[in-house]
Amino acid sequence: VQKKIKPNEIPKPLEFTILATHNCARASIMRLPHGEVKTPVYMPVGTKGAMKGVTYQEMDDLGCKLLLANTYHLAYKPGGDLLEKVGGLHKFVNWKHNILTDSGGFQMVSLSQLSEVTEEGVTFESPYDKTIMHLRPEDSIHTQNQIGADIIMALDDVVRTTTVGPRMQEASERTTRWLDRDIAAHKRKNDQNLFPIVQGGIDPKLREQSLNDLIQREANGYAIGGLAGGEDKIDFWKTVAQCTAKLPINKPRYLMGVGYPVDVVVCSCLGVDMFDCVFSTRTARFGTAFTDNGFLKLKNKEAANVFEPIQKGCQCQTCKSYTQSYLHYLIAREEVACHLISIHNLNYLIQLMLNLRQSIIDGNLIEFINGFLKKWYKTEG
Ligand code: PRF
Ligand code: ZN
């Protein structure tokens, strides 16, 4: 149903409709410029404008409606100017659904040996050819405007989760100051949503301050950053719960860098709506598949004698076509093995979210969680 827009009302590039809830968990529809997304959702990561070992056509076949890409990598190559010239990343890579771009902030951690942070911004030395890139909040937003993703991320000052003391406080407060520069630099407010990123590590006081500062800036959605970096599980969950309890109820919440099956299930229950992680495809490249009973290491010699798919009943192309035995044989020999396991793992996470979502709608979330955890930890019987 199309909503009537009053003559002088500027349409928002994001509409978030909650269909059902169970305690903090929500089943929603997020309407973005390139179509609807059912949440909670797992967003596959195509850092450099391509998935590793999976085509965008295949992502479409898996039912994916929202993909991730990274500003730092795309700014380096092919560059914002070229992407603007071809009409944005959607056109360049021929993807008709939604895209979210991360700001480049996280590369301060992942490329920490090669970066330097000041109040002005971040400076990177390219790991490829040693060229220098300055990424100020204004640069990140300008490049993200050129890329044209449906959701763009604020440039945050990211430090390792386990950092303590003044550097953590500085990073968290700087993230807020940079957010004001991001907002001022953002030129496409009508068709791109800028999400701020809550920081503050696992310190409840810093998180509280960051939450208060960011919520005041009234964005269309919010991200929870700075987690999944080696902190204890209990601190991780407490921090997520603190954030979801405080963030506006009627706006989507995105937990960055989390994609371990148990974590997406638990954090959906805590009220998170969006997740991303390279884990599903990275672990596939090491021969590990997701199953209802936990991780399956297809490199192990036991797999050689299993003439069944990775997961019985799985509707992915890999499970419909191949046995564990064949995949075990391929891993040592052919790159296509990584591709086949990636397809299964992506399908597994996408379906896991859809099943969880449906259980919220049907009022069966508790049964769903019990069933999921029992099988995952093999405590049945
Ligand atoms: N900030 C940004 N990207 C991220 C994170 C973050 O804190 C995380 C959390 N570890 C993953 N990706 N900009
Ligand atoms: Zn499968």
Side-chain angles (χ1 to χ4, degrees), residues 158-191:
V158 191
V159 291
R160 283 188 196 286
T161 324
T162 44
T163 308
V164 286
R167 178 64 187 112
M168 181 57 89
Q169 178 165 2
E170 178 191 52
S172 183
E173 291 172 359
R174 181 175 283 152
T175 296
T176 305
R177 292 192 294 275
W178 282 2
L179 175 60
D180 288 330
R181 290 167 57 187
D182 292 324
I183 294 169
H186 183 19
K187 297 276 173 5
R188 293 179 58 176
K189 295 193 168 86
N190 293 339
D191 68 346

Short mmCIF file of all heavy atoms in Angstrom, two decimals, residues 158-191:
data_model
loop_
_atom_site.label_atom_id
_atom_site.label_comp_id
_atom_site.label_asym_id
_atom_site.label_seq_id
_atom_site.Cartn_x
_atom_site.Cartn_y
_atom_site.Cartn_z
N VAL A 158 37.23 4.03 15.86
CA VAL A 158 37.08 2.69 16.43
C VAL A 158 38.39 2.24 17.05
O VAL A 158 39.44 2.32 16.41
CB VAL A 158 36.66 1.66 15.35
CG1 VAL A 158 36.25 0.35 16.02
CG2 VAL A 158 35.51 2.19 14.51
N VAL A 159 38.31 1.79 18.28
CA VAL A 159 39.48 1.20 18.93
C VAL A 159 39.11 -0.23 19.32
O VAL A 159 37.94 -0.59 19.33
CB VAL A 159 39.93 1.99 20.18
CG1 VAL A 159 40.50 3.33 19.77
CG2 VAL A 159 38.79 2.18 21.17
N ARG A 160 40.10 -1.03 19.62
CA ARG A 160 39.81 -2.40 20.04
C ARG A 160 38.91 -2.39 21.25
O ARG A 160 39.06 -1.55 22.15
CB ARG A 160 41.11 -3.13 20.38
CG ARG A 160 41.84 -3.56 19.17
CD ARG A 160 43.03 -4.44 19.43
NE ARG A 160 43.87 -4.48 18.24
CZ ARG A 160 43.55 -5.16 17.15
NH1 ARG A 160 42.46 -5.89 17.11
NH2 ARG A 160 44.33 -5.11 16.08
N THR A 161 37.94 -3.33 21.27
CA THR A 161 36.95 -3.42 22.35
C THR A 161 37.60 -3.47 23.72
O THR A 161 37.07 -2.96 24.69
CB THR A 161 36.14 -4.72 22.21
OG1 THR A 161 35.96 -4.99 20.85
CG2 THR A 161 34.84 -4.63 22.94
N THR A 162 38.74 -4.13 23.76
CA THR A 162 39.39 -4.38 25.04
C THR A 162 40.24 -3.20 25.50
O THR A 162 40.86 -3.25 26.56
CB THR A 162 40.22 -5.67 24.94
OG1 THR A 162 40.93 -5.64 23.69
CG2 THR A 162 39.34 -6.90 24.96
N THR A 163 40.25 -2.09 24.70
CA THR A 163 40.97 -0.88 25.11
C THR A 163 40.30 -0.30 26.36
O THR A 163 39.08 -0.28 26.45
CB THR A 163 40.90 0.18 23.99
OG1 THR A 163 41.33 -0.42 22.78
CG2 THR A 163 41.78 1.40 24.29
N VAL A 164 41.11 0.18 27.31
CA VAL A 164 40.52 0.82 28.49
C VAL A 164 41.14 2.21 28.67
O VAL A 164 42.14 2.53 28.04
CB VAL A 164 40.74 0.00 29.79
CG1 VAL A 164 39.85 -1.22 29.81
CG2 VAL A 164 42.21 -0.39 29.94
N GLY A 165 40.50 3.02 29.54
CA GLY A 165 41.08 4.30 29.92
C GLY A 165 40.78 5.41 28.93
O GLY A 165 39.81 5.34 28.19
N PRO A 166 41.61 6.46 28.94
CA PRO A 166 41.31 7.69 28.21
C PRO A 166 41.16 7.50 26.70
O PRO A 166 40.38 8.20 26.07
CB PRO A 166 42.50 8.60 28.53
CG PRO A 166 43.52 7.77 29.24
CD PRO A 166 42.84 6.56 29.76
N ARG A 167 41.88 6.54 26.12
CA ARG A 167 41.77 6.37 24.66
C ARG A 167 40.36 5.91 24.27
O ARG A 167 39.85 6.32 23.23
CB ARG A 167 42.84 5.38 24.17
CG ARG A 167 42.79 5.09 22.67
CD ARG A 167 43.07 6.32 21.80
NE ARG A 167 42.86 6.05 20.38
CZ ARG A 167 41.87 6.60 19.66
NH1 ARG A 167 41.04 7.48 20.19
NH2 ARG A 167 41.74 6.29 18.40
N MET A 168 39.73 5.06 25.08
CA MET A 168 38.37 4.62 24.78
C MET A 168 37.40 5.80 24.88
O MET A 168 36.53 5.98 24.03
CB MET A 168 37.95 3.49 25.74
CG MET A 168 36.56 2.94 25.50
SD MET A 168 36.28 2.32 23.82
CE MET A 168 36.78 0.60 23.98
N GLN A 169 37.57 6.61 25.90
CA GLN A 169 36.70 7.79 26.06
C GLN A 169 36.90 8.77 24.91
O GLN A 169 35.93 9.29 24.34
CB GLN A 169 36.99 8.47 27.40
CG GLN A 169 36.14 9.72 27.61
CD GLN A 169 36.14 10.19 29.05
OE1 GLN A 169 36.81 9.61 29.91
NE2 GLN A 169 35.39 11.25 29.32
N GLU A 170 38.16 8.99 24.55
CA GLU A 170 38.45 9.91 23.44
C GLU A 170 37.77 9.43 22.15
O GLU A 170 37.14 10.19 21.42
CB GLU A 170 39.96 10.00 23.22
CG GLU A 170 40.34 10.90 22.06
CD GLU A 170 41.82 10.80 21.67
OE1 GLU A 170 42.32 9.67 21.45
OE2 GLU A 170 42.47 11.84 21.57
N ALA A 171 37.87 8.12 21.88
CA ALA A 171 37.32 7.55 20.64
C ALA A 171 35.81 7.71 20.61
O ALA A 171 35.22 8.09 19.59
CB ALA A 171 37.70 6.08 20.54
N SER A 172 35.18 7.45 21.76
CA SER A 172 33.73 7.53 21.83
C SER A 172 33.25 8.97 21.64
O SER A 172 32.31 9.24 20.88
CB SER A 172 33.32 6.98 23.20
OG SER A 172 31.94 6.95 23.29
N GLU A 173 33.92 9.92 22.30
CA GLU A 173 33.51 11.33 22.18
C GLU A 173 33.84 11.89 20.80
O GLU A 173 33.07 12.68 20.24
CB GLU A 173 34.18 12.15 23.29
CG GLU A 173 33.62 11.77 24.66
CD GLU A 173 34.36 12.40 25.84
OE1 GLU A 173 35.36 13.13 25.61
OE2 GLU A 173 33.95 12.15 26.98
N ARG A 174 34.95 11.45 20.25
CA ARG A 174 35.31 11.91 18.90
C ARG A 174 34.30 11.41 17.87
O ARG A 174 33.96 12.13 16.92
CB ARG A 174 36.72 11.43 18.56
CG ARG A 174 37.18 11.87 17.19
CD ARG A 174 38.62 11.46 16.94
NE ARG A 174 39.56 12.33 17.63
CZ ARG A 174 40.78 11.93 18.04
NH1 ARG A 174 41.17 10.68 17.85
NH2 ARG A 174 41.58 12.78 18.63
N THR A 175 33.80 10.20 18.09
CA THR A 175 32.79 9.65 17.18
C THR A 175 31.57 10.59 17.11
O THR A 175 31.00 10.81 16.04
CB THR A 175 32.39 8.23 17.63
OG1 THR A 175 33.54 7.39 17.51
CG2 THR A 175 31.26 7.67 16.80
N THR A 176 31.19 11.16 18.24
CA THR A 176 30.06 12.10 18.26
C THR A 176 30.43 13.40 17.52
O THR A 176 29.64 13.92 16.74
CB THR A 176 29.65 12.43 19.71
OG1 THR A 176 29.36 11.20 20.38
CG2 THR A 176 28.43 13.32 19.74
N ARG A 177 31.64 13.92 17.78
CA ARG A 177 32.05 15.15 17.07
C ARG A 177 32.11 14.90 15.56
O ARG A 177 31.68 15.73 14.77
CB ARG A 177 33.42 15.63 17.58
CG ARG A 177 33.40 16.14 19.02
CD ARG A 177 34.69 16.88 19.37
NE ARG A 177 35.89 16.05 19.38
CZ ARG A 177 36.30 15.32 20.43
NH1 ARG A 177 35.60 15.32 21.54
NH2 ARG A 177 37.41 14.60 20.36
N TRP A 178 32.61 13.74 15.17
CA TRP A 178 32.68 13.41 13.75
C TRP A 178 31.28 13.25 13.16
O TRP A 178 31.05 13.59 12.00
CB TRP A 178 33.48 12.12 13.54
CG TRP A 178 34.97 12.32 13.62
CD1 TRP A 178 35.63 13.49 13.88
CD2 TRP A 178 35.99 11.32 13.41
NE1 TRP A 178 36.98 13.26 13.86
CE2 TRP A 178 37.24 11.95 13.58
CE3 TRP A 178 35.96 9.95 13.13
CZ2 TRP A 178 38.45 11.27 13.45
CZ3 TRP A 178 37.16 9.27 12.99
CH2 TRP A 178 38.39 9.92 13.15
N LEU A 179 30.33 12.75 13.97
CA LEU A 179 28.97 12.59 13.48
C LEU A 179 28.40 13.93 13.03
O LEU A 179 27.73 14.03 12.00
CB LEU A 179 28.08 11.96 14.56
CG LEU A 179 26.59 11.85 14.21
CD1 LEU A 179 26.38 10.99 12.96
CD2 LEU A 179 25.80 11.28 15.38
N ASP A 180 28.67 15.00 13.79
CA ASP A 180 28.16 16.32 13.39
C ASP A 180 28.78 16.75 12.05
O ASP A 180 28.11 17.36 11.22
CB ASP A 180 28.41 17.34 14.49
CG ASP A 180 27.48 17.10 15.68
OD1 ASP A 180 26.36 16.59 15.48
OD2 ASP A 180 27.89 17.39 16.82
N ARG A 181 30.05 16.42 11.85
CA ARG A 181 30.68 16.73 10.55
C ARG A 181 30.10 15.85 9.44
O ARG A 181 29.92 16.30 8.31
CB ARG A 181 32.21 16.56 10.67
CG ARG A 181 32.84 17.66 11.54
CD ARG A 181 34.27 17.34 11.93
NE ARG A 181 35.14 17.11 10.77
CZ ARG A 181 36.41 16.68 10.87
NH1 ARG A 181 36.94 16.47 12.08
NH2 ARG A 181 37.14 16.49 9.79
N ASP A 182 29.78 14.57 9.77
CA ASP A 182 29.14 13.67 8.79
C ASP A 182 27.80 14.26 8.34
O ASP A 182 27.50 14.31 7.15
CB ASP A 182 28.83 12.30 9.42
CG ASP A 182 30.07 11.49 9.76
OD1 ASP A 182 31.06 11.56 9.01
OD2 ASP A 182 30.04 10.78 10.79
N ILE A 183 27.00 14.67 9.33
CA ILE A 183 25.64 15.16 9.04
C ILE A 183 25.73 16.41 8.16
O ILE A 183 24.99 16.55 7.18
CB ILE A 183 24.86 15.45 10.35
CG1 ILE A 183 24.60 14.13 11.11
CG2 ILE A 183 23.55 16.17 10.07
CD1 ILE A 183 24.08 14.30 12.54
N ALA A 184 26.69 17.29 8.49
CA ALA A 184 26.85 18.53 7.71
C ALA A 184 27.31 18.22 6.28
O ALA A 184 26.95 18.92 5.33
CB ALA A 184 27.84 19.45 8.40
N ALA A 185 28.07 17.16 6.10
CA ALA A 185 28.64 16.84 4.77
C ALA A 185 27.67 16.04 3.90
O ALA A 185 27.84 15.98 2.68
CB ALA A 185 29.94 16.04 4.95
N HIS A 186 26.65 15.44 4.51
CA HIS A 186 25.76 14.52 3.80
C HIS A 186 24.84 15.27 2.82
O HIS A 186 23.99 16.05 3.23
CB HIS A 186 24.94 13.75 4.84
CG HIS A 186 24.03 12.71 4.28
ND1 HIS A 186 24.17 12.17 3.02
CD2 HIS A 186 22.94 12.08 4.83
CE1 HIS A 186 23.22 11.27 2.82
NE2 HIS A 186 22.47 11.22 3.90
N LYS A 187 25.01 15.01 1.52
CA LYS A 187 24.30 15.76 0.48
C LYS A 187 23.07 15.04 -0.08
O LYS A 187 22.40 15.56 -0.96
CB LYS A 187 25.27 16.05 -0.69
CG LYS A 187 26.46 16.92 -0.34
CD LYS A 187 26.06 18.37 -0.41
CE LYS A 187 27.09 19.38 0.09
NZ LYS A 187 28.39 18.95 0.49
N ARG A 188 22.85 13.81 0.32
CA ARG A 188 21.73 13.06 -0.28
C ARG A 188 20.78 12.54 0.79
O ARG A 188 20.46 11.36 0.83
CB ARG A 188 22.29 11.90 -1.13
CG ARG A 188 23.06 12.36 -2.36
CD ARG A 188 23.63 11.21 -3.17
NE ARG A 188 22.60 10.27 -3.63
CZ ARG A 188 22.85 9.23 -4.42
NH1 ARG A 188 24.08 8.97 -4.84
NH2 ARG A 188 21.88 8.43 -4.81
N LYS A 189 20.28 13.48 1.60
CA LYS A 189 19.43 13.07 2.73
C LYS A 189 18.09 12.50 2.27
O LYS A 189 17.43 11.78 3.02
CB LYS A 189 19.22 14.25 3.69
CG LYS A 189 20.54 14.70 4.37
CD LYS A 189 20.30 15.64 5.54
CE LYS A 189 21.54 15.84 6.39
NZ LYS A 189 22.46 16.89 5.96
N ASN A 190 17.71 12.80 1.01
CA ASN A 190 16.42 12.30 0.53
C ASN A 190 16.45 10.86 0.07
O ASN A 190 15.41 10.21 -0.02
CB ASN A 190 15.90 13.16 -0.63
CG ASN A 190 15.55 14.54 -0.15
OD1 ASN A 190 15.31 14.74 1.05
ND2 ASN A 190 15.52 15.49 -1.06
N ASP A 191 17.63 10.37 -0.32
CA ASP A 191 17.65 8.98 -0.80
C ASP A 191 18.75 8.12 -0.19
O ASP A 191 18.96 6.98 -0.62
CB ASP A 191 17.69 8.92 -2.34
CG ASP A 191 18.99 9.43 -2.92
OD1 ASP A 191 19.77 10.08 -2.19
OD2 ASP A 191 19.24 9.18 -4.11
#
